[in-house]
Amino acid sequence: MTAVHESVLDAIGGTPLFRLARLGADLAAPVYAKAEFLNIGGSVKDRAALSMILAAERDGLLKPGGTVVEATSGNTGIGLAIVGRQRGYRVIAGVSDRSASEKSDILRAYGAEVVIAPTALPREDPGHLFNVVQRLAEEIPGAWLANQYDNQANPDAHVRTTGPEIWEQTGGRVTHFVAGVGTGGTVTGTGGYLKQVSGGTVTVVGADPESSSYGGGDGSPWFVESIGHFLHPGTVEDRRPQAYRAEVVDSFERIPDRESLLTARRLAREEGILAGPSSGAAVAAALRVARRLGPDDLVVVLLPDSGRSYLSKVHSDAWMREWGFLEEPGETALREALAAAGPLVAVPADATVGGAVEALRDVPGGVAPAVLARAARPFGVSATEVVGSVSREVLAAALADGGAEPGDPLGALLGPALPTVGVGQSVAEARSALAGGHPAVLVLVDGRVAGLLPREAVSS
Ligand code: PMP
């Protein structure tokens, strides 16, 4: 008998498990996916949103006529919009400019006001999304900042609902729980509950983007949104969310973006489950874990949201190709051109003019990307860190006419960022990227700058 609800709020939680029969076909241990995209707002964050609003009402922080404010990659805002509007509040969602645009459209559809702000700034920068929403919450009378990162009602939602559901659905047979870590609410609450109820026998595994700092990366950018811990090079104080308790996570699987994205696409095609990129990361991690297990083990992996929010990203062939995550078998021309090109030189945007001249001394073509980062990046320079370009010609002219001294900051002499193509795109596409008169094109592999091709290399 299908449920009949008096309110959509009663339809939050109670999501099914699906066996990943095809992706896990050659594994001894069964892998079950917890389908959080079936929540009424389409994600696991409906649970946290309901829990946080009820707790705020109980604690007198949110009163009739009040305003709910939150910084979100999208899903928490959607949950807050649904719950908040049902309970009579104005809802303002501050959304990261890195989030898929579909999530902002969904927020507006539910009646939330959307403010887009950057997250790729030092945490202390007044323009950082977290500071923007903090100011809004202080300025608007009756406003309450949900603050999912530090709000205990976020993990508590999973202690009360997600954890017990998984324990009951598996008849207590679950041995491993795998989830991505954003605020940490899901992994802390669900994992903590499963450990406690099992007498400590359930192993909790975090699925983390390879360069995220939760699992040991340097915190440099990645492309799977809503999970991981990013660290801008200019951030002074790195704060971990209080919703995250590190001791609950026994180990991390560090998943490169390509593996996460391609797994999300396989989930749709092979399992009939259209989920988002963080689900791809979680399933990739779960498959790695299950490969090491036997028939008496049982893995549950949590799929946070739906792929419908990412039709313009992971589920778009064009997007995947543009960022260098997808290559058709015949499209190898740019890879071959890259192999023939010299090693990539990137100049830090905060270098001096003299430092840049030195860095460009032996660079063929005399042009390099300027990047907003320490030059050395163990995972390569993310395409999102490129802020401009440096040209030997421009530097030489400025030094010759006295416009610049070698000790001056490079900033004023930076040119526009070079255009980019994905490694699986064609030479013709690289050529059309150069149509604006740029001297070179950057070739991306896995969202990172793998090399630079001067105009001559793609002009024939
Ligand atoms: N995946 C997606 C798509 C999400 O929206 C979130 C929450 N921002 C997460 C994973 C991570 O969940 P949590 O914040 O509970 O760690």
Side-chain angles (χ1 to χ4, degrees), residues 45 73 75 180-186 226-227 278 304-305 310:
K45 301 301 308 209
S73 65
N75 287 324
V181 187
T183 64
T186 302
S226 305
I227 56 169
S278 69
D305 74 349
Y310 310 88

Side-chain angles (χ1 to χ4, degrees), residues 42-45 48 72-76 103 148-149 154-155 158 179-188 214 224-228 243-244 276-279 302-306 310:
S43 93
V44 66
K45 301 301 308 209
T72 170
S73 65
N75 287 324
T76 302
K103 287 189 274 194
Q148 55 174 327
Y149 286 89
N154 165 12
H158 301 287
V181 187
T183 64
T186 302
V187 84
T188 300
Y214 280 135
V224 174
E225 53 197 85
S226 305
I227 56 169
Y244 171 58
S278 69
S279 297
L302 186 133
L303 309 190
D305 74 349
S306 165
Y310 310 88

Side-chain angles (χ1 to χ4, degrees), residues 330-420:
E331 294 285 13
T332 55
L334 290 185
R335 248 197 208 277
E336 285 154 24
L338 264 190
L344 178 77
V345 172
V347 177
D350 61 359
T352 60
V353 172
V357 169
E358 191 54 40
L360 286 175
R361 190 170 300 282
D362 300 319
V363 174
V367 63
V371 300
L372 189 141
R374 298 168 292 262
R377 282 290 203 205
F379 302 96
V381 172
S382 171
T384 60
E385 293 176 301
V386 176
V387 293
S389 59
V390 196
S391 136
R392 190 158 52 213
E393 247 172 49
V394 169
L395 299 183
L399 288 170
D401 70 13
E405 298 289 330
D408 288 350
L410 178 61
L413 300 180
L414 283 186
L418 298 169
T420 62

Side-chain angles (χ1 to χ4, degrees), residues 10 17 30 49 109 126 134 136 146 148 173 196 220 225 228 230 328 336 341 361 365 370 384 392 442 447 450 452 457:
D10 298 336
L17 291 182
Q134 179 83 46
L136 281 172
Q148 55 174 327
R173 286 184 303 124
Q196 179 256 317
S220 62
E225 53 197 85
F230 169 68
E328 299 302 332
E336 285 154 24
R361 190 170 300 282
T384 60
R392 190 158 52 213
L442 300 176
L452 172 147

